[in-house]
Amino acid sequence: MNYETYQIMLYVLAFLAVIVFIALYFVKAGYGMFRTRSWGWSVPNKVGWVLMEAPSFVVMGIWAWKAGVEAYTPQAIFVGLFMLHYFQRSFVFPLLMKGKSRMPLAIMAMGILFNVINATLLAASFFSCALPGKYEPATFWTNPLPWVGVVIFFIGMAINLHADHVIRNLRKPGDTRHYLPEKGFYRYVTSANYFGELVEWTGFALLTASPAAWVFAWWTAANLVPRADAIYKRYCEEFGKQTVGSRKRIIPYIY
């Protein structure tokens, strides 16, 4: 990918994220608790998640292989952390899912498209479109920001994984009732899993100092913040505002 194409795609993606952010306050993405038959054909949730998330893992792996990334370079750390997340999200998370929920094909297709584009832009920012000397191993780690980014990334991942664990174990086998999650960061927000993911990709952007990574962090917020608002309102309707209490939507004590 040449640098001009890379820049244009970044601007387009950042602008589209603004539209998505606004639109999702009016239209609820039809997966999970908001799935309805109006979204049309669907596939089992596990299949949908694997097919939707795996392209990120595959595309980044192909780029790293073609670039001949070496173990001692900063790019090897970037690729490793990105693929660690998407290995878990593509091949571990779906296998741990419980229940028989389904994912609309339209949601899956949009997810595949975004993940292919996003992984391509990130890989380009690490390899073909990186400024000369930007990721020189001898100087890159002298800046404290990459170290801060790594710590924030793993904090976000830990929050996200624990939040997923809490959600999976809300019900005992055979139980079909709904529950308000209350453990971990769910004591502070109603979408702790989304908070963890937002923290994770903010840390990744700090680590890589990549414009594409910052656009990805912005897309994460544009996608998850409105959905967290919808989930918060659903919990308030179902359990009552008093039960939800002082919890915020996605960012503790703020929103």
Side-chain angles (χ1 to χ4, degrees):
M1 179 182 293
N2 63 52
Y3 191 73
E4 290 75 17
T5 302
Y6 164 76
Q7 282 191 311
I8 291 170
M9 290 184 69
L10 281 183
Y11 283 122
V12 170
L13 209 60
F15 176 71
L16 287 176
V18 176
I19 297 175
V20 168
F21 178 76
I22 296 170
L24 287 178
Y25 272 100
F26 299 94
V27 179
K28 299 178 180 66
Y31 64 95
M33 68 170 65
F34 298 113
R35 177 181 172 263
T36 63
R37 291 185 181 276
S38 64
W39 282 86
W41 292 342
S42 63
V43 296
N45 226 10
K46 292 183 179 183
V47 174
W49 275 101
V50 171
L51 295 178
M52 184 172 66
E53 302 289 359
S56 288
F57 184 86
V58 173
V59 170
M60 184 61 75
I62 291 172
W63 268 81
W65 174 68
K66 286 187 174 181
V69 62
E70 299 183 19
Y72 64 87
T73 61
Q75 291 99 318
I77 302 297
F78 307 161
V79 170
L81 294 181
F82 184 86
M83 295 184 72
L84 173 65
H85 172 92
Y86 277 102
F87 180 83
Q88 193 280 334
R89 187 58 64 180
S90 304
F91 308 114
V92 178
F93 175 75
L95 293 178
L96 295 175
M97 283 180 168
K98 299 178 181 179
K100 298 181 180 180
S101 297
R102 298 182 68 83
M103 178 183 292
L105 282 173
I107 295 290
M108 187 186 77
M110 287 186 284
I112 291 171
L113 178 63
F114 172 78
N115 283 329
V116 169
I117 294 172
N118 181 59
T120 299
L121 288 175
L122 283 169
S125 76
F126 302 155
F127 301 113
S128 62
C129 296
L131 296 176
K134 180 176 182 178
Y135 296 130
E136 182 62 40
T139 57
F140 182 78
W141 297 109
T142 60
N143 186 329
L145 274 183
W147 295 100
V148 173
V150 169
V151 172
I152 292 175
F153 177 89
F154 279 112
I155 289 173
M157 177 176 279
I159 294 170
N160 182 252
L161 292 176
H162 182 260
D164 285 343
H165 172 77
V166 170
I167 288 291
R168 278 195 303 271
N169 291 280
L170 279 176
R171 298 173 180 169
K172 294 182 179 179
D175 188 357
T176 58
R177 291 177 294 176
H178 290 176
Y179 297 91
L180 179 69
E182 298 182 303
K183 296 181 179 179
F185 270 78
Y186 285 109
R187 291 174 292 177
Y188 310 107
V189 294
T190 51
S191 292
N193 49 344
Y194 295 164
F195 172 62
E197 193 157 348
L198 188 58
V199 169
E200 191 175 348
W201 294 122
T202 300
F204 191 75
L206 286 170
L207 163 64
T208 62
S210 157
W214 281 111
V215 170
F216 182 27
W218 163 224
W219 253 96
T220 301
N223 183 37
L224 298 184
V225 170
R227 187 168 178 84
D229 176 66
I231 290 172
Y232 174 84
K233 290 175 180 176
R234 172 66 66 87
Y235 282 156
C236 287
E237 291 172 3
E238 191 165 355
F239 303 106
K241 186 68 173 69
Q242 187 173 357
T243 301
V244 173
S246 61
R247 292 179 181 86
K248 298 298 184 181
R249 291 159 174 79
I250 187 171
I251 302 174
Y253 307 110
I254 298 175
Y255 180 77

